[in-house]
Structures are given as C-alpha cells and as structure tokens.
C-alpha cells in the first residue's frame, strides 16, 4: 500500500523531529482515507488519537535508518488495524431488534402503538445511520391462557411481514396480575438471532413475573412457575449471545423486577429502562433507545486494541532521541 503520502515525511529535518502528533495524525488520516473513504472518518479520528508513537514510528529503527522505513513498516499494520476497527464500527450499525410484549387485556394501547409506529421507527433509524435489518416479535400472556400462550414472529428482514403479523395480534387473556414475563424473554432468547452487530431485546410490559420476589399481591404461583428461569440464567444467556436488554417502563408494578434484573445483569436500573408511558412517543423512544445502544457499542470498539503499546524506553530514531509529540502522552 505504497503511495500514501509518505514523501511529506522525508524532509522533516534531522532526527525525525517532524514526526510529532500532527504528523502521525496526518499519516493515519492520509493512509486511511485513501482506502476506507469519507464514510470512515469517525474511525480514522479515533485511530489517530491513539497511535502508539514508539511502536509505530520508532520501535526497532536503527540509528542509520530513515523515519521513512519506520512508516513503511507500520503501514501494513495500520491498514489492518484501522480497517478492522472500521468494520467493527460499521457492524454495530446493523441492528436486530426483538420486541417482547405482554399481550394481555391491559396492553391494548401499547400493542396498537407498536402496530402504528414500527414503520416510522425503521425510517427514523435509517435516517440516523442505523440499519434496522431484522425484526422479531414475541407476545406472551399467562399460564392460565394455556401452555402455548406465545405469539412469535421469527426474525425477518421484511417490515411488511412484521406488520402483517402484528395486525393479527390481539390483546386478551391474563388471569391474576402477574404474567409469564420470564417465559416471554426465554422465548426471545431461543430465537435464531441473525448475525447483526447490535442485538437488542426490547421488553414492554405493565405487570411483573410470578413470584414473591417480584409481586406481593394475589398470585397463582407465589413461588414462581416451575418452568421459570432465574434472571441470572436469562442474562447469562443474553451475554453469551451479545444481546442488549431494554425495558419500556409503563408504571411502577415492574420496578422490583427491574431491580432484580439489574442485579442479574450487573448494571443499574436506569441502564436497562426507558420511559414508555406516552404511547404516541413509543416509536420515538424505541428509536432513541436503539441509537443510544449503537452509540455505546461503537464507543466500546477500542481502536488499536491489539497493537502493542509503546515501550517506556525511548525509541531509537536516527538522531537518538524521541521526536516532538512522542512519548507517554502521545498514545
């Protein structure tokens, strides 16, 4: 990958004084822009900020070697690392979203909101640079509605297929106040999740699961249903599948469940909760939630994660000292 603008480094004065932070940033930007294109600027900026100066510009350079040799040696490594990082960031913007919804009698307005707003939600995400590639749905009721109390649309790329399925979903059923929320989540995790960079399970409900740890009122299964999985098991399964869980809060009835879930997930309640009380804004809130999740996962892509860090000793440049901008503060 020669011809990336290395010539600008040749006349930089004796001892490589010209290879400071700006020169290193210019090198990464010049090399990267040529083969990654303008759409990759975010990754290039992140890469330029963390180039380990000693490793990439000085390590192993003998006293008689020109800085140009170090740049050429580093070029292939830079190209691979930056390209891999950009691929990871791009993958995060490819989204698989599964909506898990309590479909009992009290949830009619929320079911209708999903039906009405899913198309706008997809378009809003697209306009923000997020590609909602796959949609799935799991509706759940309660054990009093029979053992097969789930309505499931497997992941599809077709928004029209999703909306046609949703048109057949009706609110009904539910006996006591708790519902089979844990079963609904488990059904979603058992789907075949597509190869998307960002996987989100969005759970919308107004009632907790069965069991005294979630609910103190009348409950047909005060010790939980025998088929219930523990929150730890569910969230371990999510972690293994790299799925992000988010809950749409409609009231305070699920707050004990959320606290229990947050403990199992090792995070705070606010980290997994969005406000879903205004049905007219449900689509906007889902879009906002997905965008924030994508943003957090993009930030978690650590540039040059696998690149060796600069050694504490000064690199051996041709003049025998560290160039301007290099050192501990330059990485």
């Amino acid at each position: 990958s020669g011809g990336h603008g290395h010539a600008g480094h040749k006349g930089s004065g004796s001892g490589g004084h010209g290879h400071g932070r700006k020169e290193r940033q210019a090198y990464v930007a010049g090399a990267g822009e040529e083969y990654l294109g303008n759409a990759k600027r975010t990754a290039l900026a992140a890469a330029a900020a963390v180039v380990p100066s000693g490793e990439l510009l000085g390590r192993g350079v003998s006293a008689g070697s020109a800085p140009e040799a170090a740049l050429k040696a580093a070029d292939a490594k830079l190209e691979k690392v930056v390209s891999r990082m950009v691929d990871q960031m791009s993958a995060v913007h490819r989204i698989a979203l599964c909506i898990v919804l309590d479909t009992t009698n009290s949830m009619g307005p929320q079911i209708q909101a999903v039906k009405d707003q899913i198309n706008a939600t997809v378009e809003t995400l697209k306009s923000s640079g997020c590609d909602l590639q796959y949609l799935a749905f799991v509706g759940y009721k309660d054990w009093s509605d029979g053992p097969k109390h789930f309505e499931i649309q497997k992941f599809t790329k077709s928004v029209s297929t999703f909306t046609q399925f949703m048109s057949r979903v009706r609110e009904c059923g539910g006996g006591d106040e708790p519902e089979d929320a844990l079963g609904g989540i488990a059904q979603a995790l058992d789907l075949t999740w597509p190869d998307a960079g960002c996987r989100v399970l969005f759970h919308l409900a107004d009632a907790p699961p069965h069991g005294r740890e979630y609910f103190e009122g009348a409950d047909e299964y005060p010790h939980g249903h025998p088929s219930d999985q523990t929150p730890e098991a569910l969230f371990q399964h999510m972690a293994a599948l790299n799925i992000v869980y988010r809950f749409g809060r409609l009231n305070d009835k699920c707050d004990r469940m959320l606290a229990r879930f947050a403990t199992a997930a090792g995070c705070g309640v606010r980290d997994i909760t969005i406000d879903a009380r205004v049905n007219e804004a449900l689509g906007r809130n889902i879009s906002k939630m997905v965008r924030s999740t994508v943003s957090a996962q993009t930030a978690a892509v650590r540039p040059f994660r696998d690149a060796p860090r600069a050694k504490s000793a000064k690199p051996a440049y041709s003049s025998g000292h560290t160039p301007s901008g290099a050192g501990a503060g330059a990485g």
Side-chain angles (χ1 to χ4, degrees), residues 18-91:
H19 296 294
R21 180 182 291 274
K22 290 183 179 179
E23 285 76 8
R24 288 184 284 110
Q25 290 175 338
Y27 170 71
V28 177
E33 291 275 358
E34 182 173 333
Y35 64 88
L36 296 175
N38 292 334
K40 315 299 185 182
R41 287 180 179 173
T42 300
L44 291 172
V50 296
V51 173
S53 58
E55 166 67 17
L56 296 182
L57 296 179
R59 183 172 177 174
V61 179
S62 66
S65 298
E68 176 73 8
L71 288 172
K72 286 184 177 179
D75 186 57
K77 181 186 291 186
L78 271 174
E79 184 166 340
K80 289 180 181 178
V81 174
V82 176
S83 182
R84 182 172 67 248
M85 181 180 65
V86 171
D87 288 344
Q88 290 172 340
M89 288 182 171
S90 298

Side-chain angles (χ1 to χ4, degrees), residues 11 26-27 29 46 72 85 90 115 134 156 161 202 234 305 329:
Y27 170 71
K72 286 184 177 179
M85 181 180 65
S90 298
K115 293 178 180 179
Y134 302 93
T156 177
T161 296
F202 176 62
L234 293 173
R305 168 172 58 189

Side-chain angles (χ1 to χ4, degrees), residues 22-312:
K22 290 183 179 179
E23 285 76 8
R24 288 184 284 110
Q25 290 175 338
Y27 170 71
V28 177
E33 291 275 358
E34 182 173 333
Y35 64 88
L36 296 175
N38 292 334
K40 315 299 185 182
R41 287 180 179 173
T42 300
L44 291 172
V50 296
V51 173
S53 58
E55 166 67 17
L56 296 182
L57 296 179
R59 183 172 177 174
V61 179
S62 66
S65 298
E68 176 73 8
L71 288 172
K72 286 184 177 179
D75 186 57
K77 181 186 291 186
L78 271 174
E79 184 166 340
K80 289 180 181 178
V81 174
V82 176
S83 182
R84 182 172 67 248
M85 181 180 65
V86 171
D87 288 344
Q88 290 172 340
M89 288 182 171
S90 298
V92 169
H93 288 75
R94 298 194 295 272
I95 302 157
L97 172 65
C98 179
I99 298 175
V100 178
L101 187 63
D102 175 346
T103 58
T104 56
N105 276 318
S106 60
M107 291 291 290
Q110 288 74 37
I111 295 171
Q112 192 60 47
V114 172
K115 293 178 180 179
D116 293 343
Q117 300 174 41
I118 191 62
N119 283 288
T121 301
V122 172
E123 292 305 315
T124 298
L125 287 169
K126 282 184 179 179
S127 68
S128 67
C130 298
D131 186 6
L132 184 52
Q133 291 191 339
Y134 302 93
L135 280 166
F137 179 85
V138 174
Y140 66 88
K141 302 184 188 300
D142 202 5
W143 293 100
S144 60
D145 300 300
K148 296 182 179 179
H149 51 270
F150 302 106
E151 296 170 278
I152 298 174
Q153 168 62 57
K154 297 178 181 179
F155 278 102
T156 177
K157 286 187 172 183
S158 170
V159 179
S160 62
T161 296
F162 184 87
T163 54
Q164 287 173 15
F165 176 86
M166 286 299 302
S167 69
R168 299 189 293 272
V169 175
R170 297 285 185 272
E171 70 275 17
C172 63
D176 53 1
E177 188 159 347
E179 313 294 359
D180 188 20
L182 300 178
I185 296 171
Q187 290 288 328
L189 297 180
D190 285 341
L191 295 174
T192 300
W193 284 74
D195 185 17
C198 183
R199 296 172 169 180
V200 181
L201 189 162
F202 176 62
H203 181 194
L204 186 62
D206 66 351
H210 290 283
R212 287 285 180 255
E213 63 179 327
Y214 307 109
F215 182 68
E216 290 289 348
D219 187 345
E220 294 179 11
Y221 302 98
H223 303 293
H225 191 274
S227 298
D228 286 347
Q229 296 186 41
T230 65
E232 284 76 15
L234 293 173
F235 279 88
Q236 286 172 10
H237 196 172
M238 286 184 213
L241 295 175
N242 197 27
I243 294 171
V244 176
Y245 175 87
R246 293 291 182 267
F247 181 80
R249 186 177 183 273
L250 297 169
N251 52 39
D252 62 0
K253 294 179 180 180
C254 293
D255 286 358
R256 290 175 66 176
M257 177 194 78
L258 288 171
R260 183 73 174 82
F261 281 8
T263 299
C267 65
V269 171
R270 289 185 179 181
D271 296 328
I272 60 175
T273 310
I274 71 167
D275 188 349
R277 290 174 294 178
V278 180
N279 291 324
E280 292 76 11
L282 180 61
R284 292 196 301 273
N285 284 335
I286 291 175
S287 299
K288 183 178 178 181
M289 174 270 296
V290 171
R291 290 197 305 271
S292 66
T293 303
V294 167
S295 178
Q297 292 200 354
T298 300
V301 177
R302 292 192 298 159
F304 295 90
R305 168 172 58 189
D306 301 321
R309 304 303 295 174
K311 301 295 184 181
S312 57

